Amino acid sequence: MKLLAIESSCDETSAAVLHDTDVLSNVISSQLIHTKYGGVIPELASRAHTENISHVVQQALTEAGCAIQDIDAIGVTTQPGLAGALLVGTNFAKGLALKYNLPCVPVNHIEGHLFSGSLENPDLQFPYIVLVVSGGHTSLFHVRSFNDYSILGSTRDDAAGEAFDKTAKMLGLGYPGGPLIDKLAKQGNAKVIQFPRAMIHDAHYEFSFSGMKTAVRNYINTHHLTGIPEHAMPDICASLQQAIVDVLVSKTIRAAQEYPCNGIVIAGGVSANSCLRNCMQQEAEKRDVLFVAPRITYSLDNAAMIGFVAINKLQEAGVNTFQQLDFEVNSQAMRMHRHGSR
Ligand code: KG4
Ligand code: ZN
């Protein structure tokens, strides 16, 4: 089976072609227009998706060496995300499905991230723990099969990616802040400043990152009221990155010890962070737990992970289940204690 997948939930327009679970192409067009505003502007995101989507889909088909007539099914992200952005991808998918009489599988974006570890790692066996950590989400999941998983905890306020982006803005760095902090932190000493590690010792799996902005602001006001000298920046970045990473690693490792677990997966944009990858790897190795960090293109928002979920759903439920095109988009994120059902 050849499946065309479309992802447009936030600021990446992406299309992929899969042959069963093999990824033949995975085209990602990142919207640079948001950079100058220091965050994603929903209206601009929808407009950019509308402009980009046809050539991104065409490029995915070309790179996969096939035409739309070779496609057997479509998969598309329908939730959660920016409503206007989701509508662009969903309606494009519905249009293609109508014209070419194809089944169309609605996919939850978070499920895409949840199973991105299985995309290229046949060694990874259920059950496993997944940390989904991006600009919009910070949640820990216990994943028992493709249709059985539960949220152990989520952030109560800002996502970890937001903590990176908002503190980077305060430090006068650009957007998105995560990669810039990651880069500067490499030359810094993480032990110089003790930023807070909110709720790190609490027994639950919830997170809170909104205090990081106040902590950084207080630090700047106390030590660098007239401006941060360039030489101070690496230590600040390394220290605040370590504070965020310590909380993420500590809770993920604890979940891996408390629940039946054959592996730990990190997914979402922040999983690109080199300190997070290194620290999680070390702590997992110490406990002899398999650690999987999908390659960066499968960690960021991408259509290949959406296609992988769609193919699994099709194999499980059959093509006839996905002939109706009356599914809706839903911008709401998953709530605690909701179990997966597909
Ligand atoms: O998954 P993603 O592409 O989009 C969503 O938010 O859904 O994640 C983007 C987030 C941004 O907050 C960005 O700063 C963060 O991922 N990010 C990083 C790194 N690369 C991207 N954060 C820390 N270190 C990085 N290397
Ligand atoms: Zn995402």
Side-chain angles (χ1 to χ4, degrees):
M1 159 158 315
K2 280 210 175 83
L3 179 133
L4 170 69
I6 295 175
E7 152 66 38
S8 71
S9 63
C10 191
D11 59 342
E12 257 89 30
T13 316
S14 181
V17 176
L18 281 80
H19 183 199
D20 297 332
T21 51
D22 289 343
V23 179
L24 303 183
S25 64
N26 184 31
V27 177
I28 304 170
S29 168
S30 298
Q31 302 177 357
L32 302 177
I33 183 153
H34 308 289
T35 311
K36 63 180 171 206
Y37 300 102
V40 179
I41 310 290
E43 170 76 16
L44 296 180
S46 310
R47 287 170 187 266
H49 284 305
T50 306
E51 267 171 48
N52 293 338
I53 194 153
S54 28
H55 68 80
V56 166
V57 167
Q58 186 52 57
Q59 197 182 332
L61 290 167
T62 306
E63 286 184 16
C66 59
I68 185 72
Q69 288 79 5
D70 303 322
I71 296 294
D72 304 302
I74 296 181
V76 63
T77 306
T78 56
Q79 60 172 321
L82 303 170
L86 287 164
L87 281 169
V88 177
T90 307
N91 282 335
F92 197 87
K94 286 188 181 189
L96 286 177
L98 264 182
K99 173 147 196 236
Y100 296 98
N101 194 24
L102 297 171
C104 190
V105 185
V107 176
N108 184 309
H109 179 84
I110 299 301
E111 288 187 352
H113 283 307
L114 275 190
F115 300 109
S116 62
S118 291
L119 187 52
E120 283 193 305
N121 294 279
D123 292 348
L124 179 64
Q125 302 291 322
F126 295 121
Y128 49 72
I129 295 290
V130 184
L131 172 70
V132 179
V133 67
S134 71
H137 308 278
T138 301
S139 300
L140 264 173
F141 291 82
H142 186 230
V143 180
R144 296 171 289 272
S145 76
F146 280 113
N147 50 37
D148 181 22
Y149 59 84
S150 49
I151 302 190
L152 305 179
S154 296
T155 182
R156 290 183 182 173
D157 39 58
D158 289 353
E162 270 179 290
F164 276 110
D165 294 340
K166 289 177 180 174
T167 50
K169 201 170 176 181
M170 292 164 68
L171 296 172
L173 304 170
Y175 173 86
L180 302 165
I181 289 179
D182 192 355
K183 195 167 163 210
L184 278 169
K186 289 199 167 79
Q187 296 130 43
N189 179 352
K191 295 202 170 84
V192 172
I193 310 153
Q194 273 301 306
F195 286 118
R197 276 113 170 116
M199 306 199 296
I200 193 166
H201 298 301
D202 294 4
H204 55 71
Y205 294 105
E206 289 175 35
F207 301 88
S208 169
F209 290 108
S210 63
M212 198 54 93
K213 292 173 303 213
T214 318
V216 171
R217 186 176 301 115
N218 287 344
Y219 179 81
I220 295 172
N221 289 346
T222 311
H223 295 90
H224 302 294
L225 205 49
T226 53
I228 306 169
E230 214 170 292
H231 67 81
M233 208 62 102
D235 288 347
I236 300 176
C237 289
S239 300
L240 85 87
Q241 172 176 269
Q242 193 68 56
I244 295 171
V245 166
D246 280 353
V247 179
L248 295 173
V249 171
S250 155
K251 297 223 170 202
T252 307
I253 294 290
R254 192 148 50 72
Q257 288 173 318
E258 187 177 334
Y259 290 85
C261 174
N262 290 317
I264 292 173
V265 180
I266 55 173
V270 179
S271 73
N273 185 268
S274 56
C275 177
L276 177 62
R277 286 184 173 228
N278 293 338
C279 294
M280 197 76 88
Q281 169 103 51
Q282 278 174 19
E283 294 303 314
E285 259 171 24
K286 273 190 215 162
R287 291 160 182 86
D288 215 14
V289 177
L290 176 68
F291 170 63
V292 171
R295 71 165 93 171
I296 305 288
T297 44
Y298 295 154
S299 297
L300 305 172
D301 288 352
N302 71 92
M305 67 179 190
I306 302 302
F308 184 67
V309 172
I311 287 269
N312 277 297
K313 281 186 168 198
L314 274 167
Q315 284 172 351
E316 212 172 81
V319 168
N320 289 340
T321 316
F322 301 107
Q323 301 295 344
Q324 302 298 329
L325 294 179
D326 54 358
F327 53 81
E328 297 175 340
V329 307
N330 178 4
S331 58
Q332 300 290 310
M334 278 180 194
R335 292 282 166 260
M336 281 280 290
H337 308 308
R338 213 190 95 180
H339 289 250
S341 59
R342 300 199 294 142

